[in-house]
Amino acid sequence: MMYLGIDFGTSGARATVIDQETCIQFEGRYPFDTLKAFDLANDWKNALFNLLEQISPELRREIRAIAINGTSSTVLLCDSQGQPVDTPLLYNDARGAMVMEELKAIAPPNHTVLSATSSLAKLLWMSQLPSFAEATHFLHQADWLAFLLHGQLGTSDYHNALKLGYDVEKLEYPDWLKQLQIKVQLPEAIAPGTPIAELRTDIADKLGFRRDCAICAGTTDSIAAFLASGATLPGEAVTSLGSTLVLKLLSRTRVDDARYGIYSHRLGDLWLTGGASNTGGTVLKQFFTSAELENLSQEIDGLKASQLDYYPLLKPGERFPINDPNLSPRLEPRPDSQVEFLHGLLESIARIEARGYELLQNLGADKLTRVYTAGGGAGNHIWRVIRGRLLQVPIECSVNAEAAFGTALLAMRGSSSRGTGF
């Protein structure tokens, strides 16, 4: 049996097929170089079916289940046939800022939805559009793409639904949200990985898939990447060293605090809590090429602390572990030595990482025991030594860095157990 995970990220879509031993049997990519803002949904649809067609006919006949992840808070309005009635809004679209006062009047203080980019903020903004009158359903990117495969409109997963206001502890939409009486149907939120329906017969027959291939509830791209990492126990965490610095810690205790941009996703009986800093690889690339980063790192003694105390940001503003929209970058003094300067930057980003995990633990999360690393910075050995010295826990590379792999695992676990509880 084979299992297919599809990842819709910011730069492209990816597909991974794994077998029952989680060995990768196929990987495919579809870049978003030519995405048209006015026809996003159709471009997503083309990407989805292009990836399905990239899989060999032999493998297609063996695929037992499919799951899809999408970027968190990428949303769209559809009519009763599932046709988009307007252009989708992407994860980073901040037009919801125009309805923040309305949102603050109804949502509890410090709630996850109180962000200009939350799904609920986008929905309130979209409710003022002329096209809203044609809409019957509000869906997330992963919901709509899965609908194209199974044909049953109006189902989501509780990872995507979190920023819509779904109560992931009580597993229901809260009363304060129901009282809004928004005149579209909110998706039913089920556990990620739960089989929703079988693949549409016409698609199965046309592309040569099994007629009993299950389409499972999906997740968000960042949680899919966490699932791919290998972290499974309370106290284990994943640090993504990409353009920004993202921390996710698995905990028995739920931690939510909008003051620091911290919120928790439900992961079975555990909670995935974390936050994102504006520091990260983008700052490093402002000063060094990829080759310089690699070569200069080799000259750093990672066991020796740098005396340079930076807060590496490209522009003012930080979210976590300090929430200060006016926090100024601190990149002085600048030594003559490029090696010393890079050492100072790597050490300072590692200090921010350590401060972030300390904050999560102070707010009640489990004690940090191990960190898996994903993202472009994961391969920097010297940085790993520096981080291990500061965090005082083992630092390892993720088992797999691809969100599509994590989503394939979700499909496998979900179809095997009839719902993962994730």
Side-chain angles (χ1 to χ4, degrees), residues 399-413:
V399 171
N400 190 295
E402 292 289 350
F405 178 80
T407 310
L409 291 175
L410 187 65
M412 182 178 73
R413 295 168 186 168

Side-chain angles (χ1 to χ4, degrees), residues 15-19 21-27 400 402 405:
T16 298
V17 176
I18 61 172
D19 61 21
E21 283 71 47
T22 73
C23 296
I24 295 172
Q25 301 299 318
F26 166 83
E27 289 182 300
N400 190 295
E402 292 289 350
F405 178 80

Side-chain angles (χ1 to χ4, degrees), residues 105-141:
I106 54 172
N110 295 327
H111 197 282
T112 307
V113 300
L114 295 175
S115 161
T117 59
S118 75
S119 298
L120 185 56
K122 291 184 175 81
L123 174 55
L124 290 183
W125 183 84
M126 294 166 103
S127 70
Q128 301 171 3
L129 299 174
S131 58
F132 192 73
E134 305 170 45
T136 60
H137 289 77
F138 179 78
L139 297 175
H140 303 90
Q141 180 186 37

Side-chain angles (χ1 to χ4, degrees), residues 80-340:
S80 59
Q81 302 303 308
Q83 291 295 317
V85 301
D86 212 322
T87 303
L89 296 188
L90 294 176
Y91 67 100
N92 57 353
D93 193 304
R95 278 176 275 192
M98 298 171 65
V99 298
M100 284 308 295
E101 291 307 313
E102 180 183 353
L103 203 48
K104 288 177 182 176
I106 54 172
N110 295 327
H111 197 282
T112 307
V113 300
L114 295 175
S115 161
T117 59
S118 75
S119 298
L120 185 56
K122 291 184 175 81
L123 174 55
L124 290 183
W125 183 84
M126 294 166 103
S127 70
Q128 301 171 3
L129 299 174
S131 58
F132 192 73
E134 305 170 45
T136 60
H137 289 77
F138 179 78
L139 297 175
H140 303 90
Q141 180 186 37
D143 311 339
W144 184 73
L145 289 164
F147 155 75
L148 295 179
L149 299 183
H150 59 63
Q152 297 190 13
L153 198 59
T155 303
S156 185
D157 62 89
Y158 57 57
H159 289 163
N160 272 293
L162 178 74
K163 293 181 183 178
L164 182 54
Y166 187 77
D167 188 328
V168 292
E169 200 147 13
K170 296 181 179 178
L171 298 179
E172 63 183 17
Y173 285 108
D175 289 339
W176 62 263
L177 182 54
K178 294 174 186 174
Q179 290 167 7
L180 271 177
Q181 297 184 331
I182 299 171
K183 295 180 180 178
V184 293
Q185 186 174 322
L186 300 183
E188 176 192 5
I190 60 178
T194 304
I196 300 170
E198 292 177 349
L199 180 64
R200 281 172 41 186
T201 304
D202 58 327
I203 298 174
D205 291 348
K206 180 182 178 182
L207 297 180
F209 282 87
R210 302 163 56 107
R211 282 196 171 191
D212 64 351
C213 177
I215 309 303
C216 302
T219 183
T220 66
D221 56 344
S222 62
I223 294 184
F226 182 91
L227 297 176
S229 71
T232 58
L233 301 174
E236 294 185 333
V238 174
T239 295
S240 178
L241 294 171
S243 55
T244 59
L245 175 72
V246 182
L247 313 185
K248 291 187 181 297
L249 172 60
L250 203 53
S251 173
R252 285 165 291 198
T253 305
R254 181 180 182 179
V255 178
D256 290 283
D257 198 323
R259 293 176 302 168
Y260 303 104
I262 296 171
Y263 59 89
S264 294
H265 276 286
R266 185 174 188 142
L267 217 59
D269 295 329
L270 300 175
W271 297 96
L272 189 56
T273 184
S277 167
N278 290 335
T279 194
T282 303
V283 183
L284 297 177
K285 289 181 179 178
Q286 182 79 2
F287 300 103
F288 304 98
T289 65
S290 296
E292 287 172 335
L293 284 171
E294 183 176 348
N295 295 331
L296 293 172
S297 293
Q298 304 309 312
E299 299 183 46
I300 295 172
D301 182 356
L303 296 175
K304 181 180 178 182
S306 169
Q307 300 307 306
L308 297 168
D309 183 19
Y310 298 143
Y311 207 105
L313 299 170
L314 283 185
K315 59 183 180 180
E318 175 63 308
R319 300 173 288 171
F320 167 89
I322 301 170
N323 185 7
D324 180 356
N326 301 310
L327 184 70
S328 296
R330 191 167 68 246
L331 294 163
E332 300 289 341
R334 173 90 178 256
D336 294 332
S337 167
Q338 286 283 76
V339 174
E340 286 183 33

